[in-house]
Amino acid sequence: MMHNDDKPWANKQILSPFPEVPVTLEHDNHVLIIGAGISGLASAWFLQQQGFVVTVLEAGNQVGGNLQSVQKHGCQWERGPNSFINNRPAMAQLIEQVGLKPHIVLANKAAHRRYIGKKGAMLALPSNIKEALTTGVLSTFGKLRLLIEPFVGKATSEESIAEHVRRRLGHEMLDWLIDPFISGVFAGDPEKLSVRAAVPKIYALESEYGSMIIGGVAKMKAKSRQKKLEKEQGISSLDGAMMSFAGGLYQLPATLAQKLGPAISLNTQVDNITYSAQFGYQAMSGDQIWQASQVVLAVPAAQVARLIDDLVPTDEALLMQAKACLQAIDYPAVASITMAFNKDQIEHALDGFGCLLPTKEGKQTLGVLFPSSIFSQRCPDDQHLITVFIGGGRGQHAMTLTPQQRTDLVMLELSPYLGIQGQPLWHEESLWPKAIPQYQLGHLPKVALIDEALAQFPGLHLRSNWRDGVAVGDCVENALQLANMMSQKLVKAQTKTETIT
Ligand SMILES: Cc1cc2nc3c(=O)[nH]c(=O)nc-3n(C[C@H](O)[C@H](O)[C@H](O)COP(=O)(O)OP(=O)(O)OC[C@H]3O[C@@H](n4cnc5c(N)ncnc54)[C@H](O)[C@@H]3O)c2cc1C
């Protein structure tokens, strides 16, 4: 570890809105944000709205991180996230503030139907109690097993998602419903993920209602009462809707970048940060230094560990532990392969959101989305667009193959489910060597330890998808909460200064 004094500053260019003025920590309102994925951009936006001066440093040559929309071959598709659920107030606020409301596109009604693969066939998942009683997804035993769920006691220690669901709902629910759902969200293994950290809403059903079924029904009833009320009052709410934008999800970061303008610096990979009481934080990128009194690290966990390497802590042992925790967060590789077919090449109508393949099916392919069924005008009318995900927690063998071998494998594995004839009109792979962070058992204590260790550095904040939720909406919600918290602190500090002077 280097001390701040060991750094050769002399030949570096210092960049800050107030380059000649040493930063006065308590009431300076300049914030450096490292990383221009949705976490960093939304943090920058909300902070700017609260009166902070922001500078965003991004390693890549474009903003958006995982949000990457492509227009090619007469089609539009996504390399990363395909859509988001509008269930977080901050997202609605952000969309409204940046003027994207007219550009929202809602998922088609058919997209509410979801399929799973079972024994080589595609089965629709039940969407209500009546369908649940008649579905072929669960056996009669599997359905009867659900009846004892309300009488199962609460967990006494941390459980994996698999342990939790098996204990409460039985193994069929785990194998055929929850396992594929977890593949769909985390590309992860339910045996390793912590139920409390990864799916807090599912965990809360037990802790709040004592039963997943009773809690689930209560929540559904409350939601339908709310919808009815809104209908009666003539309010058309998009709450809970699945959506994107006319130009794809990338329209959100692109619009934020346009609004933030020169505050964003692309091709600026931050190598390390240092802190001194006199200058605050200094972020080094090549021969440039950026300085500010506060910094938000909106980068993957391993990058956080790297960036904080030169900070001088009072409790070094604690910081070492925090770095080890950050480095241990697993991000398994995933490939997303988008393909187009003529409609008559696929037997199935693809009338849904997509089809997930449970681990029990023994495939490397995690699942397939039907983007041209979810949203209109994503490809010519006589074509189907599909996006297949392979790899993740259970498909790492596939990640040792070449892209063409992966496409061949996906075609072989998917053909029986979808009824595919012949080869795709075109296909394109997007490789995510470190796709989605896994909130494994022990994740929450690790995050608490990281927070404790980094609390040694006033004004250092963490905002990224390795904590507090991986969905795009979670990242935006967490960004708003951070901006609110920082704003309250600044007001307090300014009030204190005014009182003293
Ligand atoms: C294949 C895939 C499909 C997904 N599907 C969905 C979905 O359908 N719906 C949904 O809600 N979510 C989905 N997600 C999850 C969601 O996309 C992510 O959790 C979210 O976009 C993460 O945003 P972020 O800003 O936290 O991180 P990132 O998007 O990873 O952004 C981090 C940024 O930091 C930059 N950076 C890193 N190191 C440095 C450095 N040293 N200096 C400067 N910059 C640096 C990177 O270049 C990057 O731009 C999906 C994710 C993947 C990978």
mmCIF file of all heavy atoms in Angstrom, residues 122-168:
data_model
loop_
_atom_site.group_PDB
_atom_site.id
_atom_site.type_symbol
_atom_site.label_atom_id
_atom_site.label_comp_id
_atom_site.label_asym_id
_atom_site.label_seq_id
_atom_site.Cartn_x
_atom_site.Cartn_y
_atom_site.Cartn_z
ATOM 1 N N MET A 122 -42.707 -26.877 -23.908
ATOM 2 C CA MET A 122 -42.909 -25.571 -23.254
ATOM 3 C C MET A 122 -44.258 -25.566 -22.552
ATOM 4 O O MET A 122 -45.291 -25.781 -23.185
ATOM 5 C CB MET A 122 -42.894 -24.450 -24.324
ATOM 6 C CG MET A 122 -41.534 -23.832 -24.516
ATOM 7 S SD MET A 122 -41.482 -22.763 -25.943
ATOM 8 C CE MET A 122 -42.485 -21.382 -25.463
ATOM 9 N N LEU A 123 -44.258 -25.286 -21.233
ATOM 10 C CA LEU A 123 -45.514 -25.231 -20.478
ATOM 11 C C LEU A 123 -45.726 -23.821 -19.946
ATOM 12 O O LEU A 123 -44.786 -23.214 -19.408
ATOM 13 C CB LEU A 123 -45.462 -26.188 -19.278
ATOM 14 C CG LEU A 123 -45.242 -27.674 -19.539
ATOM 15 C CD1 LEU A 123 -45.302 -28.453 -18.220
ATOM 16 C CD2 LEU A 123 -46.292 -28.214 -20.491
ATOM 17 N N ALA A 124 -46.960 -23.310 -20.090
ATOM 18 C CA ALA A 124 -47.246 -21.958 -19.579
ATOM 19 C C ALA A 124 -47.319 -22.008 -18.058
ATOM 20 O O ALA A 124 -47.913 -22.938 -17.486
ATOM 21 C CB ALA A 124 -48.568 -21.466 -20.150
ATOM 22 N N LEU A 125 -46.717 -21.021 -17.399
ATOM 23 C CA LEU A 125 -46.796 -20.965 -15.937
ATOM 24 C C LEU A 125 -48.174 -20.465 -15.528
ATOM 25 O O LEU A 125 -48.743 -19.600 -16.194
ATOM 26 C CB LEU A 125 -45.733 -20.022 -15.387
ATOM 27 C CG LEU A 125 -44.305 -20.543 -15.459
ATOM 28 C CD1 LEU A 125 -43.344 -19.500 -14.910
ATOM 29 C CD2 LEU A 125 -44.163 -21.838 -14.684
ATOM 30 N N PRO A 126 -48.721 -20.997 -14.428
ATOM 31 C CA PRO A 126 -50.039 -20.527 -13.991
ATOM 32 C C PRO A 126 -49.990 -19.056 -13.592
ATOM 33 O O PRO A 126 -49.005 -18.614 -12.994
ATOM 34 C CB PRO A 126 -50.341 -21.404 -12.769
ATOM 35 C CG PRO A 126 -49.045 -22.016 -12.366
ATOM 36 C CD PRO A 126 -48.149 -22.029 -13.563
ATOM 37 N N SER A 127 -51.040 -18.308 -13.964
ATOM 38 C CA SER A 127 -51.050 -16.890 -13.586
ATOM 39 C C SER A 127 -52.116 -16.592 -12.538
ATOM 40 O O SER A 127 -52.253 -15.468 -12.093
ATOM 41 C CB SER A 127 -51.283 -16.018 -14.827
ATOM 42 O OG SER A 127 -52.531 -16.338 -15.375
ATOM 43 N N ASN A 128 -52.929 -17.615 -12.174
ATOM 44 C CA ASN A 128 -53.893 -17.423 -11.086
ATOM 45 C C ASN A 128 -54.126 -18.761 -10.381
ATOM 46 O O ASN A 128 -53.611 -19.804 -10.819
ATOM 47 C CB ASN A 128 -55.219 -16.841 -11.609
ATOM 48 C CG ASN A 128 -55.794 -17.704 -12.722
ATOM 49 O OD1 ASN A 128 -55.809 -18.926 -12.621
ATOM 50 N ND2 ASN A 128 -56.251 -17.060 -13.789
ATOM 51 N N ILE A 129 -54.916 -18.732 -9.303
ATOM 52 C CA ILE A 129 -55.077 -19.929 -8.467
ATOM 53 C C ILE A 129 -55.723 -21.060 -9.270
ATOM 54 O O ILE A 129 -55.315 -22.217 -9.187
ATOM 55 C CB ILE A 129 -55.919 -19.590 -7.215
ATOM 56 C CG1 ILE A 129 -55.246 -18.429 -6.491
ATOM 57 C CG2 ILE A 129 -56.183 -20.829 -6.354
ATOM 58 C CD1 ILE A 129 -54.904 -18.575 -5.068
ATOM 59 N N LYS A 130 -56.736 -20.687 -10.122
ATOM 60 C CA LYS A 130 -57.452 -21.720 -10.883
ATOM 61 C C LYS A 130 -56.466 -22.460 -11.806
ATOM 62 O O LYS A 130 -56.443 -23.686 -11.870
ATOM 63 C CB LYS A 130 -58.557 -21.034 -11.705
ATOM 64 C CG LYS A 130 -59.667 -21.974 -12.092
ATOM 65 C CD LYS A 130 -60.809 -21.208 -12.725
ATOM 66 C CE LYS A 130 -61.416 -22.057 -13.835
ATOM 67 N NZ LYS A 130 -62.116 -21.264 -14.815
ATOM 68 N N GLU A 131 -55.612 -21.654 -12.487
ATOM 69 C CA GLU A 131 -54.626 -22.271 -13.389
ATOM 70 C C GLU A 131 -53.622 -23.110 -12.596
ATOM 71 O O GLU A 131 -53.166 -24.151 -13.060
ATOM 72 C CB GLU A 131 -53.875 -21.187 -14.171
ATOM 73 C CG GLU A 131 -54.664 -20.644 -15.357
ATOM 74 C CD GLU A 131 -53.920 -19.531 -16.078
ATOM 75 O OE1 GLU A 131 -52.673 -19.446 -15.953
ATOM 76 O OE2 GLU A 131 -54.581 -18.735 -16.754
ATOM 77 N N ALA A 132 -53.309 -22.638 -11.373
ATOM 78 C CA ALA A 132 -52.327 -23.362 -10.551
ATOM 79 C C ALA A 132 -52.849 -24.762 -10.202
ATOM 80 O O ALA A 132 -52.080 -25.708 -10.082
ATOM 81 C CB ALA A 132 -52.020 -22.576 -9.285
ATOM 82 N N LEU A 133 -54.190 -24.878 -10.053
ATOM 83 C CA LEU A 133 -54.752 -26.171 -9.676
ATOM 84 C C LEU A 133 -54.753 -27.159 -10.838
ATOM 85 O O LEU A 133 -54.755 -28.365 -10.652
ATOM 86 C CB LEU A 133 -56.195 -25.984 -9.155
ATOM 87 C CG LEU A 133 -56.307 -25.229 -7.826
ATOM 88 C CD1 LEU A 133 -57.764 -24.955 -7.469
ATOM 89 C CD2 LEU A 133 -55.628 -26.009 -6.699
ATOM 90 N N THR A 134 -54.760 -26.620 -12.073
ATOM 91 C CA THR A 134 -54.858 -27.514 -13.232
ATOM 92 C C THR A 134 -53.536 -27.631 -14.006
ATOM 93 O O THR A 134 -53.426 -28.443 -14.906
ATOM 94 C CB THR A 134 -55.946 -26.983 -14.201
ATOM 95 O OG1 THR A 134 -55.644 -25.605 -14.472
ATOM 96 C CG2 THR A 134 -57.328 -27.113 -13.632
ATOM 97 N N THR A 135 -52.539 -26.839 -13.643
ATOM 98 C CA THR A 135 -51.302 -26.830 -14.432
ATOM 99 C C THR A 135 -50.593 -28.194 -14.424
ATOM 100 O O THR A 135 -50.626 -28.913 -13.421
ATOM 101 C CB THR A 135 -50.326 -25.755 -13.904
ATOM 102 O OG1 THR A 135 -49.137 -25.803 -14.692
ATOM 103 C CG2 THR A 135 -49.927 -25.980 -12.461
ATOM 104 N N GLY A 136 -49.930 -28.461 -15.537
ATOM 105 C CA GLY A 136 -49.127 -29.686 -15.616
ATOM 106 C C GLY A 136 -47.705 -29.448 -15.122
ATOM 107 O O GLY A 136 -46.886 -30.368 -15.134
ATOM 108 N N VAL A 137 -47.420 -28.204 -14.695
ATOM 109 C CA VAL A 137 -46.065 -27.914 -14.226
ATOM 110 C C VAL A 137 -45.787 -28.682 -12.929
ATOM 111 O O VAL A 137 -44.707 -29.203 -12.717
ATOM 112 C CB VAL A 137 -45.879 -26.384 -14.022
ATOM 113 C CG1 VAL A 137 -44.532 -26.078 -13.405
ATOM 114 C CG2 VAL A 137 -46.035 -25.640 -15.348
ATOM 115 N N LEU A 138 -46.827 -28.768 -12.046
ATOM 116 C CA LEU A 138 -46.665 -29.488 -10.777
ATOM 117 C C LEU A 138 -47.490 -30.775 -10.804
ATOM 118 O O LEU A 138 -48.591 -30.802 -11.380
ATOM 119 C CB LEU A 138 -47.150 -28.624 -9.603
ATOM 120 C CG LEU A 138 -46.431 -27.298 -9.360
ATOM 121 C CD1 LEU A 138 -47.055 -26.591 -8.159
ATOM 122 C CD2 LEU A 138 -44.942 -27.507 -9.118
ATOM 123 N N SER A 139 -47.001 -31.817 -10.154
ATOM 124 C CA SER A 139 -47.772 -33.068 -10.036
ATOM 125 C C SER A 139 -48.870 -32.861 -8.977
ATOM 126 O O SER A 139 -48.847 -31.860 -8.243
ATOM 127 C CB SER A 139 -46.850 -34.205 -9.599
ATOM 128 O OG SER A 139 -46.478 -33.989 -8.240
ATOM 129 N N THR A 140 -49.773 -33.830 -8.839
ATOM 130 C CA THR A 140 -50.819 -33.727 -7.807
ATOM 131 C C THR A 140 -50.159 -33.626 -6.427
ATOM 132 O O THR A 140 -50.557 -32.825 -5.587
ATOM 133 C CB THR A 140 -51.740 -34.971 -7.855
ATOM 134 O OG1 THR A 140 -52.165 -35.103 -9.187
ATOM 135 C CG2 THR A 140 -52.939 -34.835 -6.936
ATOM 136 N N PHE A 141 -49.096 -34.430 -6.227
ATOM 137 C CA PHE A 141 -48.393 -34.361 -4.938
ATOM 138 C C PHE A 141 -47.830 -32.963 -4.717
ATOM 139 O O PHE A 141 -47.957 -32.389 -3.631
ATOM 140 C CB PHE A 141 -47.263 -35.408 -4.892
ATOM 141 C CG PHE A 141 -46.410 -35.251 -3.668
ATOM 142 C CD1 PHE A 141 -46.837 -35.728 -2.431
ATOM 143 C CD2 PHE A 141 -45.188 -34.582 -3.733
ATOM 144 C CE1 PHE A 141 -46.059 -35.554 -1.298
ATOM 145 C CE2 PHE A 141 -44.402 -34.408 -2.600
ATOM 146 C CZ PHE A 141 -44.842 -34.897 -1.378
ATOM 147 N N GLY A 142 -47.215 -32.390 -5.773
ATOM 148 C CA GLY A 142 -46.619 -31.045 -5.679
ATOM 149 C C GLY A 142 -47.669 -30.006 -5.300
ATOM 150 O O GLY A 142 -47.390 -29.096 -4.511
ATOM 151 N N LYS A 143 -48.891 -30.153 -5.871
ATOM 152 C CA LYS A 143 -49.972 -29.190 -5.555
ATOM 153 C C LYS A 143 -50.452 -29.381 -4.118
ATOM 154 O O LYS A 143 -50.652 -28.410 -3.377
ATOM 155 C CB LYS A 143 -51.135 -29.374 -6.532
ATOM 156 C CG LYS A 143 -50.805 -28.901 -7.944
ATOM 157 C CD LYS A 143 -51.913 -29.304 -8.915
ATOM 158 C CE LYS A 143 -51.397 -29.225 -10.344
ATOM 159 N NZ LYS A 143 -52.181 -30.013 -11.278
ATOM 160 N N LEU A 144 -50.629 -30.656 -3.708
ATOM 161 C CA LEU A 144 -51.102 -30.914 -2.340
ATOM 162 C C LEU A 144 -50.089 -30.427 -1.302
ATOM 163 O O LEU A 144 -50.457 -29.944 -0.234
ATOM 164 C CB LEU A 144 -51.360 -32.414 -2.142
ATOM 165 C CG LEU A 144 -52.599 -32.952 -2.868
ATOM 166 C CD1 LEU A 144 -52.675 -34.478 -2.760
ATOM 167 C CD2 LEU A 144 -53.891 -32.332 -2.301
ATOM 168 N N ARG A 145 -48.803 -30.531 -1.656
ATOM 169 C CA ARG A 145 -47.743 -30.114 -0.734
ATOM 170 C C ARG A 145 -47.882 -28.629 -0.357
ATOM 171 O O ARG A 145 -47.538 -28.206 0.750
ATOM 172 C CB ARG A 145 -46.378 -30.399 -1.397
ATOM 173 C CG ARG A 145 -45.144 -29.839 -0.705
ATOM 174 C CD ARG A 145 -44.929 -30.457 0.667
ATOM 175 N NE ARG A 145 -43.751 -29.931 1.313
ATOM 176 C CZ ARG A 145 -43.675 -28.755 1.939
ATOM 177 N NH1 ARG A 145 -44.743 -27.981 2.005
ATOM 178 N NH2 ARG A 145 -42.557 -28.365 2.512
ATOM 179 N N LEU A 146 -48.438 -27.843 -1.306
ATOM 180 C CA LEU A 146 -48.590 -26.405 -1.055
ATOM 181 C C LEU A 146 -49.537 -26.133 0.120
ATOM 182 O O LEU A 146 -49.433 -25.111 0.794
ATOM 183 C CB LEU A 146 -49.123 -25.683 -2.299
ATOM 184 C CG LEU A 146 -48.240 -25.773 -3.558
ATOM 185 C CD1 LEU A 146 -48.886 -25.025 -4.714
ATOM 186 C CD2 LEU A 146 -46.849 -25.205 -3.276
ATOM 187 N N LEU A 147 -50.473 -27.088 0.350
ATOM 188 C CA LEU A 147 -51.502 -26.856 1.379
ATOM 189 C C LEU A 147 -50.916 -26.740 2.781
ATOM 190 O O LEU A 147 -51.500 -26.091 3.646
ATOM 191 C CB LEU A 147 -52.547 -27.985 1.353
ATOM 192 C CG LEU A 147 -53.346 -28.100 0.048
ATOM 193 C CD1 LEU A 147 -54.295 -29.286 0.118
ATOM 194 C CD2 LEU A 147 -54.129 -26.811 -0.211
ATOM 195 N N ILE A 148 -49.751 -27.386 3.010
ATOM 196 C CA ILE A 148 -49.206 -27.321 4.381
ATOM 197 C C ILE A 148 -48.302 -26.091 4.587
ATOM 198 O O ILE A 148 -47.873 -25.813 5.702
ATOM 199 C CB ILE A 148 -48.456 -28.614 4.797
ATOM 200 C CG1 ILE A 148 -47.259 -28.865 3.871
ATOM 201 C CG2 ILE A 148 -49.379 -29.814 4.863
ATOM 202 C CD1 ILE A 148 -46.343 -29.971 4.420
ATOM 203 N N GLU A 149 -48.056 -25.335 3.505
ATOM 204 C CA GLU A 149 -47.118 -24.199 3.619
ATOM 205 C C GLU A 149 -47.481 -23.220 4.731
ATOM 206 O O GLU A 149 -46.608 -22.812 5.522
ATOM 207 C CB GLU A 149 -47.011 -23.485 2.259
ATOM 208 C CG GLU A 149 -45.874 -22.490 2.158
ATOM 209 C CD GLU A 149 -46.157 -21.098 2.707
ATOM 210 O OE1 GLU A 149 -47.368 -20.728 2.821
ATOM 211 O OE2 GLU A 149 -45.210 -20.372 3.029
ATOM 212 N N PRO A 150 -48.751 -22.820 4.886
ATOM 213 C CA PRO A 150 -49.059 -21.825 5.939
ATOM 214 C C PRO A 150 -48.729 -22.319 7.354
ATOM 215 O O PRO A 150 -48.627 -21.514 8.271
ATOM 216 C CB PRO A 150 -50.573 -21.603 5.782
ATOM 217 C CG PRO A 150 -50.880 -22.000 4.378
ATOM 218 C CD PRO A 150 -49.934 -23.117 4.060
ATOM 219 N N PHE A 151 -48.564 -23.645 7.521
ATOM 220 C CA PHE A 151 -48.301 -24.183 8.872
ATOM 221 C C PHE A 151 -46.810 -24.397 9.141
ATOM 222 O O PHE A 151 -46.430 -24.837 10.214
ATOM 223 C CB PHE A 151 -49.073 -25.505 9.052
ATOM 224 C CG PHE A 151 -50.536 -25.350 8.733
ATOM 225 C CD1 PHE A 151 -51.053 -25.797 7.524
ATOM 226 C CD2 PHE A 151 -51.379 -24.703 9.632
ATOM 227 C CE1 PHE A 151 -52.391 -25.626 7.217
ATOM 228 C CE2 PHE A 151 -52.717 -24.527 9.326
ATOM 229 C CZ PHE A 151 -53.229 -24.985 8.111
ATOM 230 N N VAL A 152 -45.966 -24.092 8.135
ATOM 231 C CA VAL A 152 -44.520 -24.284 8.313
ATOM 232 C C VAL A 152 -43.968 -23.106 9.113
ATOM 233 O O VAL A 152 -44.321 -21.952 8.857
ATOM 234 C CB VAL A 152 -43.822 -24.368 6.927
ATOM 235 C CG1 VAL A 152 -42.301 -24.434 7.084
ATOM 236 C CG2 VAL A 152 -44.330 -25.564 6.130
ATOM 237 N N GLY A 153 -43.103 -23.404 10.103
ATOM 238 C CA GLY A 153 -42.560 -22.345 10.970
ATOM 239 C C GLY A 153 -41.528 -21.480 10.268
ATOM 240 O O GLY A 153 -41.148 -21.749 9.117
ATOM 241 N N LYS A 154 -41.060 -20.471 10.991
ATOM 242 C CA LYS A 154 -40.081 -19.543 10.404
ATOM 243 C C LYS A 154 -38.670 -20.106 10.508
ATOM 244 O O LYS A 154 -38.376 -20.878 11.414
ATOM 245 C CB LYS A 154 -40.135 -18.197 11.130
ATOM 246 C CG LYS A 154 -41.402 -17.423 10.849
ATOM 247 C CD LYS A 154 -41.327 -16.031 11.450
ATOM 248 C CE LYS A 154 -42.647 -15.312 11.252
ATOM 249 N NZ LYS A 154 -42.660 -13.973 11.794
ATOM 250 N N ALA A 155 -37.793 -19.667 9.616
ATOM 251 C CA ALA A 155 -36.396 -20.114 9.643
ATOM 252 C C ALA A 155 -35.702 -19.554 10.878
ATOM 253 O O ALA A 155 -36.031 -18.454 11.333
ATOM 254 C CB ALA A 155 -35.682 -19.627 8.396
ATOM 255 N N THR A 156 -34.748 -20.309 11.404
ATOM 256 C CA THR A 156 -34.029 -19.826 12.588
ATOM 257 C C THR A 156 -32.636 -19.313 12.227
ATOM 258 O O THR A 156 -31.959 -18.703 13.041
ATOM 259 C CB THR A 156 -33.908 -20.946 13.645
ATOM 260 O OG1 THR A 156 -33.407 -22.108 12.980
ATOM 261 C CG2 THR A 156 -35.247 -21.245 14.302
ATOM 262 N N SER A 157 -32.187 -19.608 10.999
ATOM 263 C CA SER A 157 -30.875 -19.072 10.571
ATOM 264 C C SER A 157 -30.957 -18.750 9.082
ATOM 265 O O SER A 157 -31.958 -19.068 8.424
ATOM 266 C CB SER A 157 -29.780 -20.100 10.828
ATOM 267 O OG SER A 157 -30.102 -21.283 10.133
ATOM 268 N N GLU A 158 -29.883 -18.124 8.559
ATOM 269 C CA GLU A 158 -29.908 -17.722 7.153
ATOM 270 C C GLU A 158 -30.061 -18.944 6.250
ATOM 271 O O GLU A 158 -29.425 -19.974 6.462
ATOM 272 C CB GLU A 158 -28.612 -16.989 6.784
ATOM 273 C CG GLU A 158 -28.706 -16.353 5.401
ATOM 274 C CD GLU A 158 -27.391 -15.784 4.881
ATOM 275 O OE1 GLU A 158 -26.329 -16.156 5.399
ATOM 276 O OE2 GLU A 158 -27.462 -14.983 3.934
ATOM 277 N N GLU A 159 -30.909 -18.815 5.233
ATOM 278 C CA GLU A 159 -31.139 -19.933 4.318
ATOM 279 C C GLU A 159 -30.805 -19.524 2.894
ATOM 280 O O GLU A 159 -30.946 -18.351 2.518
ATOM 281 C CB GLU A 159 -32.631 -20.317 4.336
ATOM 282 C CG GLU A 159 -33.083 -21.057 5.563
ATOM 283 C CD GLU A 159 -34.561 -21.427 5.462
ATOM 284 O OE1 GLU A 159 -35.382 -20.552 5.133
ATOM 285 O OE2 GLU A 159 -34.885 -22.588 5.703
ATOM 286 N N SER A 160 -30.452 -20.542 2.095
ATOM 287 C CA SER A 160 -30.346 -20.296 0.652
ATOM 288 C C SER A 160 -31.775 -20.241 0.096
ATOM 289 O O SER A 160 -32.724 -20.684 0.767
ATOM 290 C CB SER A 160 -29.563 -21.411 -0.023
ATOM 291 O OG SER A 160 -30.331 -22.598 -0.003
ATOM 292 N N ILE A 161 -31.898 -19.752 -1.134
ATOM 293 C CA ILE A 161 -33.234 -19.718 -1.750
ATOM 294 C C ILE A 161 -33.778 -21.146 -1.847
ATOM 295 O O ILE A 161 -34.952 -21.402 -1.555
ATOM 296 C CB ILE A 161 -33.165 -19.065 -3.151
ATOM 297 C CG1 ILE A 161 -32.716 -17.616 -3.037
ATOM 298 C CG2 ILE A 161 -34.509 -19.163 -3.864
ATOM 299 C CD1 ILE A 161 -32.453 -16.924 -4.367
ATOM 300 N N ALA A 162 -32.901 -22.072 -2.232
ATOM 301 C CA ALA A 162 -33.348 -23.466 -2.398
ATOM 302 C C ALA A 162 -33.842 -24.035 -1.062
ATOM 303 O O ALA A 162 -34.914 -24.645 -1.004
ATOM 304 C CB ALA A 162 -32.207 -24.312 -2.952
ATOM 305 N N GLU A 163 -33.081 -23.820 0.017
ATOM 306 C CA GLU A 163 -33.491 -24.352 1.337
ATOM 307 C C GLU A 163 -34.835 -23.757 1.747
ATOM 308 O O GLU A 163 -35.715 -24.455 2.240
ATOM 309 C CB GLU A 163 -32.440 -23.988 2.398
ATOM 310 C CG GLU A 163 -31.176 -24.827 2.316
ATOM 311 C CD GLU A 163 -30.006 -24.229 3.100
ATOM 312 O OE1 GLU A 163 -30.030 -23.022 3.446
ATOM 313 O OE2 GLU A 163 -29.053 -24.956 3.348
ATOM 314 N N HIS A 164 -34.977 -22.466 1.533
ATOM 315 C CA HIS A 164 -36.184 -21.760 1.946
ATOM 316 C C HIS A 164 -37.414 -22.298 1.197
ATOM 317 O O HIS A 164 -38.447 -22.614 1.815
ATOM 318 C CB HIS A 164 -35.987 -20.260 1.658
ATOM 319 C CG HIS A 164 -37.072 -19.388 2.173
ATOM 320 N ND1 HIS A 164 -37.133 -18.959 3.476
ATOM 321 C CD2 HIS A 164 -38.155 -18.850 1.553
ATOM 322 C CE1 HIS A 164 -38.195 -18.191 3.639
ATOM 323 N NE2 HIS A 164 -38.837 -18.109 2.484
ATOM 324 N N VAL A 165 -37.277 -22.413 -0.102
ATOM 325 C CA VAL A 165 -38.438 -22.823 -0.910
ATOM 326 C C VAL A 165 -38.752 -24.298 -0.685
ATOM 327 O O VAL A 165 -39.922 -24.686 -0.558
ATOM 328 C CB VAL A 165 -38.187 -22.521 -2.411
ATOM 329 C CG1 VAL A 165 -39.319 -23.062 -3.271
ATOM 330 C CG2 VAL A 165 -38.026 -21.024 -2.623
ATOM 331 N N ARG A 166 -37.704 -25.119 -0.601
ATOM 332 C CA ARG A 166 -37.930 -26.552 -0.364
ATOM 333 C C ARG A 166 -38.663 -26.758 0.959
ATOM 334 O O ARG A 166 -39.611 -27.525 1.061
ATOM 335 C CB ARG A 166 -36.576 -27.262 -0.324
ATOM 336 C CG ARG A 166 -36.579 -28.619 -1.002
ATOM 337 C CD ARG A 166 -35.221 -29.275 -0.907
ATOM 338 N NE ARG A 166 -34.318 -28.878 -1.957
ATOM 339 C CZ ARG A 166 -33.105 -28.360 -1.750
ATOM 340 N NH1 ARG A 166 -32.653 -28.135 -0.533
ATOM 341 N NH2 ARG A 166 -32.338 -28.050 -2.758
ATOM 342 N N ARG A 167 -38.215 -26.025 1.992
ATOM 343 C CA ARG A 167 -38.815 -26.172 3.326
ATOM 344 C C ARG A 167 -40.262 -25.706 3.324
ATOM 345 O O ARG A 167 -41.148 -26.351 3.869
ATOM 346 C CB ARG A 167 -37.983 -25.354 4.332
ATOM 347 C CG ARG A 167 -38.414 -25.456 5.780
ATOM 348 C CD ARG A 167 -37.423 -24.733 6.683
ATOM 349 N NE ARG A 167 -37.310 -23.308 6.374
ATOM 350 C CZ ARG A 167 -38.182 -22.393 6.757
ATOM 351 N NH1 ARG A 167 -39.229 -22.732 7.465
ATOM 352 N NH2 ARG A 167 -38.007 -21.120 6.438
ATOM 353 N N ARG A 168 -40.529 -24.586 2.660
ATOM 354 C CA ARG A 168 -41.874 -24.024 2.749
ATOM 355 C C ARG A 168 -42.836 -24.630 1.714
ATOM 356 O O ARG A 168 -43.988 -24.907 2.012
ATOM 357 C CB ARG A 168 -41.838 -22.501 2.556
ATOM 358 C CG ARG A 168 -41.074 -21.741 3.631
ATOM 359 C CD ARG A 168 -41.686 -20.374 3.868
ATOM 360 N NE ARG A 168 -43.027 -20.491 4.400
ATOM 361 C CZ ARG A 168 -43.339 -20.544 5.700
ATOM 362 N NH1 ARG A 168 -42.399 -20.432 6.602
ATOM 363 N NH2 ARG A 168 -44.584 -20.676 6.087
#
